[in-house]
Amino acid sequence: MKLVNAVRCFDGEQRRYEHLSDTLNCTMQFSLYLPPKALQGKHVPAVVWLSGLTCSDENFSSKAGAQRVAARLGIALIIPDTSPRGDEVADDDAYDFGKGAGFYVNATQAPWSQHYQMYDYITKELLDLCHTHFPLNGKLSISGHSMGGHGALIMALKEHDQFRSVSAFAPIAHPSACPWGHKAFSGYLGDDRAQWHAYDAVELMRQGHKCPPLLVDQGSADNFLAEQLNFSTLKETVEARHFAAQLRLQDGYDHSYYFIASFIEDHLEFHATYLND
């Protein structure tokens, strides 16, 4: 593992690392924020952040303003990339498929299956790597935006014992029932809807999967709300399962990082409740 860069930030460090991933069969980069406590040698909890379509590991670290809050709360931030990378990795010309759009699934269809194993990369390889090399205490929560919100929800539902809480900003909550999901799932997973449902938060909830404490924020002025995100379906499903959850429709907010920056403090404080108990 190679340290690419490190900068001082709120008395902690924002770092970027490069490593060869056995799971993805390519070289990957990820970002990591270590709060002051971690630099002092104390083991700290962590929040995994999953970004959305077209993003890399650097969007959240540079735009969300999360480090100030993470430093105060004593929480590390683990920020993976959104897909495998490299000249040998299969790609597509569209923004919503291929590089930058891995959808956090384990692809089963060629040529995507050779590299696009993002679910296993994050839940197994990357988290094992981080716990081996950094002062983390094993307590984890997970959050994300849009495609990353989808990823956070499915990982929390499928790996219920691994994550103490989950939150999302404008998640693609029911990808089996929206254009983004249809395109990604048919390409990565084929035509078997049972495989689609294994990576669909609404369907996993309907199947009986447990959910850790949940916080979701959705902007009312989000231009993807009507066609892609299925916020109302998620809300109905959560209420039917009686999960410990807050689903908030935020008036006038859109799909951008301005929205994330406005509420990231709420989300990290929400996670701190469960990470520091």
Side-chain angles (χ1 to χ4, degrees):
M1 188 168 61
K2 174 185 175 183
L3 178 64
V4 177
N5 58 50
V7 294
R8 193 76 168 171
C9 186
F10 294 101
D11 291 328
E13 279 190 356
Q14 181 65 52
R15 301 178 180 179
R16 199 179 197 212
Y17 287 93
E18 179 180 280
H19 74 107
L20 181 63
S21 168
D22 293 333
T23 304
L24 302 180
N25 297 306
C26 64
T27 298
M28 292 294 289
Q29 292 187 327
F30 69 93
S31 292
L32 174 75
Y33 179 70
L34 291 176
K37 285 183 178 180
L39 299 186
Q40 296 162 8
K42 299 176 182 177
H43 284 65
V44 298
V47 171
V48 180
W49 172 270
L50 305 182
S51 296
L53 290 167
T54 75
C55 290
S56 73
D57 58 295
E58 293 188 295
N59 295 76
F60 179 76
S61 62
S62 63
K63 294 181 178 181
Q67 294 92 341
R68 174 184 61 82
V69 186
R72 172 172 61 81
L73 296 173
I75 293 173
L77 302 173
I78 301 169
I79 313 165
D81 203 346
T82 54
S83 76
R85 302 285 181 173
D87 293 340
E88 73 281 10
V89 174
D91 197 12
D92 188 271
D93 290 336
Y95 77 95
D96 55 357
F97 193 71
K99 292 180 187 177
F103 265 83
Y104 303 104
V105 304
N106 289 334
T108 58
Q109 303 299 300
W112 314 104
S113 56
Q114 182 178 358
H115 297 286
Y116 286 74
Q117 305 293 313
M118 288 297 294
Y119 186 92
D120 280 354
Y121 168 68
I122 292 166
T123 60
K124 297 176 182 177
E125 184 178 16
L126 182 60
L127 290 180
D128 285 348
L129 188 71
C130 288
H131 281 101
T132 298
H133 291 280
F134 307 115
L136 305 180
N137 64 14
K139 297 179 180 179
L140 292 170
S141 292
I142 191 165
S143 184
H145 171 233
S146 193
M147 179 185 72
H150 141 75
L153 290 174
I154 63 168
M155 289 179 189
L157 288 162
K158 291 161 71 77
E159 312 294 332
H160 181 265
D161 293 334
Q162 189 169 20
F163 299 107
R164 294 186 166 216
S165 55
V166 55
S167 73
F169 293 82
I172 305 172
H174 192 12
S176 298
C178 76
W180 278 339
H182 279 199
K183 181 175 182 177
F185 284 3
S186 60
Y188 294 136
L189 304 173
D191 297 328
D192 182 357
R193 289 295 181 108
Q195 290 197 46
W196 293 20
H197 292 175
Y199 296 103
D200 184 310
V202 166
E203 295 297 339
L204 290 169
M205 291 176 181
R206 289 172 175 172
Q207 291 168 16
H209 284 256
K210 296 179 180 179
C211 185
L214 169 65
L215 172 63
V216 176
D217 276 318
Q218 171 63 60
S220 68
D222 190 324
N223 58 317
F224 300 115
L225 177 56
E227 185 178 25
Q228 302 283 9
L229 303 179
N230 285 291
F231 177 74
S232 60
T233 304
L234 176 64
K235 191 171 188 296
E236 291 167 3
T237 308
V238 165
E239 290 173 351
R241 289 295 315 278
H242 304 290
F243 290 136
Q246 303 174 62
L247 279 74
R248 312 187 301 192
L249 188 63
Q250 302 291 1
D251 186 46
Y253 284 89
D254 64 7
H255 200 74
S256 71
Y257 266 86
Y258 295 110
F259 168 48
I260 297 170
S262 298
F263 296 100
I264 192 63
E265 186 165 11
D266 284 2
H267 283 240
L268 292 181
E269 288 182 343
F270 166 78
H271 291 303
T273 300
Y274 303 98
L275 292 170
N276 294 324
D277 61 6

